[in-house]
Each structure stands twice: as structure tokens, then as C-alpha cells.
Amino acid sequence: MKPRIQPYISPENFHWLKAMAKRPGLSESTIIDGAVTAYRAGESDNKREAAINRRLDRLSRQFGRIERDNLVLAETLATFVHYFLTVTPPVPANQVEAARAKGDMRFDLFVRQVAEALRSGQRILQNAVEDVTEEAASLEREPEHFGEVRADA
């Protein structure tokens, strides 16, 4: 047996409820029960939507970090290539093979160092970027140390 309640509703809703209950297969109780069920479903939808929004916010922050890291990598590579092309003199023709062999050895060492850094979890670039970021933040917090004019000078 279903429990009986006697709620109060506005006159507009009362007239709407009476008109709807005249349809075949509908009663006031069925309409009210359906309305309460829909209301409860809306609350669970709000909870689900809030959870989705939290997840989207977290993904947005992660994407922002990835985007920043990618920018750092691109700028690092561009700076290195510019520097390399600026300071590296052309190799004389009689030393090309020796230079190529030396370059292969250096590249193998480089790859081993990168692999070791990845295995150990120590990220040279990440640590350097964090150091620079912390330094910049400290400079922003303490700008009074720069550009000071001493009265006794």
C-alpha cells in the first residue's frame, strides 16, 4: 500500500493537475509520483554533472601543463639549434669522417644519459624550468630589492 499525503500546491498547478488527470490512464497520484521521480532524477543528474565538471577542470589543468611543457621543449630545441648553427664552424673535408664518428659517439652518450634520467625520475629540464619559475616568482614577490635608490649614495 502506498502512503497517503496531502500536499498544498498553487492554484495554477492545481488546475493543471486536474486537467492532466482527466486523460485516460492518468490520475493525480500518478502525475505527482512521476513529478517527484523526475525531480529526484534531476538531483542525481546535477551530481553527475558536478562530477563531470570537476573531471573536466582537472583535465583542463593537465592539458595546460602539457601545453606549457611542449612550449618549453620547442623553445629549448629552437634555442639549441640556433646556438649550434651559430657557433659551429664548418668541418674541413679531410676531417668529415672523424667528426661524424665523434658525433655518433656523443649522440650515443646523449641517448644513454636521457635514458638514465628517465629511469631515475630526475628530469634535468623540468628541474631547471621549476628553478627558473621559482626564481621569477620570488622576484615578483620582492620587487623592492631592484631599482632601489639609496639616500646615502
Side-chain angles (χ1 to χ4, degrees):
M1 180 167 162
K2 294 182 181 180
R4 178 181 170 91
I5 62 169
Q6 293 181 332
Y8 292 96
I9 61 175
S10 67
E12 297 85 24
N13 285 338
F14 178 75
H15 294 298
W16 179 87
L17 179 62
K18 288 291 186 187
M20 290 294 294
K22 290 181 181 175
R23 295 184 181 171
L26 288 179
S27 67
E28 291 175 9
S29 294
T30 305
I31 295 169
I32 297 297
D33 191 50
V36 171
T37 301
Y39 181 79
R40 280 189 9 243
E43 285 181 353
S44 67
D45 286 346
N46 288 342
K47 290 177 186 175
R48 187 176 330 126
E49 185 176 319
I52 290 170
N53 284 338
R54 283 192 303 273
R55 179 70 176 142
L56 286 173
D57 289 344
R58 189 169 45 245
L59 288 172
S60 295
R61 287 190 303 274
Q62 289 172 342
F63 182 74
R65 284 191 298 270
I66 290 169
E67 192 173 35
R68 180 204 66 206
D69 292 350
N70 191 34
L71 178 63
V72 168
L73 287 172
E75 285 300 316
T76 302
L77 179 61
T79 302
F80 173 76
V81 169
H82 182 262
Y83 174 79
F84 178 81
L85 294 174
T86 303
V87 300
T88 304
V91 177
N94 62 346
Q95 296 177 358
V96 170
E97 285 303 318
R100 185 170 289 135
K102 185 85 162 177
D104 288 344
M105 286 176 25
R106 287 179 177 171
F107 183 74
D108 289 342
L109 175 63
F110 169 75
V111 169
R112 285 196 303 273
Q113 288 174 336
V114 169
E116 179 57 33
L118 291 173
R119 267 195 298 277
S120 70
Q122 292 186 337
R123 305 289 192 270
I124 295 170
L125 182 60
Q126 181 179 358
N127 292 340
V129 168
E130 288 172 0
D131 290 346
V132 169
T133 304
E134 289 172 10
E135 185 177 313
S138 70
L139 293 177
E140 289 175 5
R141 286 191 300 270
E142 302 174 15
E144 65 274 2
H145 296 299
F146 297 97
E148 288 183 356
V149 177
R150 293 178 31 184
D152 62 344

